[in-house]
Amino acid sequence: MPDDTAEDSPRRSRTSGIDRTLQILDILTERHQPMTAYDLARATGAPPSTVYKLLDELIERNMLSRSADGRAWLGPRLMRYGLAYRARMSAFNEAERAMFSLNERVREMVQICVRDEGMMQVVAMAEGSGTFRVTSDVGTRVPLNWTASGRLLIGHLPDAARVAIFRDCARPSNTGLADTDPEKLAEVSRRDFLDGLSVQIDTSEDQVACIAAPVRGQDGACELTLSVVMPKHRVDAKFDTVAQEVRDAARSVERALGVHQR
């Protein structure tokens, strides 16, 4: 019989190298700071020699950069890829216009959020007026169960799929107030998606409210959300206005995409 070991080995090695590279990029993205090769080796569980070699290759290709103290960070080539990808996302382009318009009307922070596997990620943001600030910024990723947007982003999925996702990804939040029950989360996720609005207060950050609406694609799936983030103490006075405005903004994006209105 022919020996396939030698033939298969390069493929396994190449795949392993790709996986290690993605691990490094994911870890740097999640931690939002440059890291040493040693720390990356510990975080990935890879041999230090493998990580050192990968870093050198990625830095040489501008996928990563090296700071003055020798730490690795994301490189300019990744920005080019990200901008090219975002430019082709018609839903994002329309949502970005709606985000700035909504920001002017409600005078509160507005974010565009998408799903990244079991996480919700902020991909664009318009600051509100005044001094109110939150820890989440563009690039921030948190578990789906922490935010109103996170629940909406899987609200279109079948019941079993939503339960399975929350079972895998639901985590206690820093405030201790985020629900982690998969069955309950799945039920609320579907209800909020059908209602076109989701609200969470204090679950991700203390004294912070999130009022979000889903933006659906042609297939009915939630492609992204528009979310108004505001201080908890302003919710009572502004809730009705903000809820209507964020719903209207999401529908304006859907109209621009030619989606049948709900």
Side-chain angles (χ1 to χ4, degrees):
M1 293 180 62
D3 185 353
D4 294 331
T5 303
E7 182 177 338
D8 289 347
S9 180
R11 175 171 296 184
R12 282 199 297 271
S13 175
R14 186 162 56 247
T15 301
S16 177
I18 291 172
D19 288 341
R20 291 298 187 198
T21 296
L22 293 175
Q23 277 185 304
I24 290 170
L25 295 176
D26 286 345
I27 289 167
L28 289 172
T29 301
E30 289 167 3
R31 300 197 181 182
H32 293 281
Q33 61 181 8
M35 296 175 64
T36 66
Y38 176 74
D39 287 338
L40 283 166
R42 289 185 61 188
T44 60
S49 58
T50 299
V51 173
Y52 277 104
K53 181 180 179 181
L54 277 174
L55 291 183
D56 285 343
E57 292 179 353
L58 292 170
I59 289 168
E60 182 181 345
R61 291 163 175 79
N62 291 321
M63 294 287 285
L64 293 179
S65 59
R66 182 171 276 136
S67 61
D69 61 0
R71 296 172 185 265
W73 181 235
L74 304 177
R77 195 167 187 172
L78 295 176
M79 174 66 78
R80 188 164 78 244
Y81 295 153
L83 291 173
Y85 173 74
R86 198 172 80 167
R88 293 295 300 273
M89 292 175 60
S90 58
F92 176 85
N93 293 337
E94 295 296 338
E96 191 172 45
R97 282 190 280 271
M99 175 185 74
F100 288 116
S101 178
L102 177 61
N103 172 252
E104 291 179 1
R105 294 196 303 275
V106 300
R107 299 183 65 79
E108 300 286 359
M109 178 182 292
V110 181
Q111 295 179 339
I112 299 174
C113 302
V114 299
R115 178 187 170 197
D116 182 1
E117 297 182 344
M119 308 287 277
M120 181 221 76
Q121 181 169 26
V122 180
V123 295
M125 185 172 76
E127 293 280 4
S129 59
T131 59
F132 173 71
R133 295 291 182 272
V134 294
T135 58
S136 62
D137 202 345
V138 174
T140 297
R141 297 167 73 248
V142 298
L144 292 171
N145 64 306
W146 286 20
T147 67
S149 288
R151 296 192 313 214
L152 291 172
L153 287 164
I154 63 170
H156 60 280
L157 296 174
D159 294 347
R162 296 196 311 280
V163 171
I165 289 169
F166 280 126
R167 184 177 292 122
D168 289 342
C169 77
R171 300 288 184 273
S173 65
N174 296 331
T175 66
L177 297 178
D179 201 325
T180 57
D181 183 300
E183 299 283 348
K184 183 177 179 181
L185 285 165
E187 180 181 349
V188 174
S189 171
R190 182 60 175 173
R191 182 198 67 200
D192 288 357
F193 177 74
L194 293 176
D195 189 43
L197 191 77
S198 185
V199 181
Q200 285 195 342
I201 300 175
D202 288 339
T203 52
S204 181
E205 294 185 56
D206 189 43
Q207 300 299 310
V208 174
C210 175
I211 303 172
V215 173
R216 302 171 306 161
Q218 292 286 355
D219 59 357
C222 183
E223 294 196 3
L224 50 84
T225 67
L226 285 170
S227 173
V228 175
V229 183
M230 58 192 294
K232 177 181 177 179
H233 70 264
R234 290 207 286 262
V235 172
D236 287 344
K238 298 184 69 172
F239 178 78
D240 290 342
T241 298
V242 170
Q244 188 60 54
E245 289 284 2
V246 73
R247 272 191 172 120
D248 289 347
R251 288 169 180 161
S252 74
V253 177
E254 293 179 351
R255 282 196 299 272
L257 297 175
V259 176
H260 177 69
Q261 294 296 293
R262 49 177 176 263

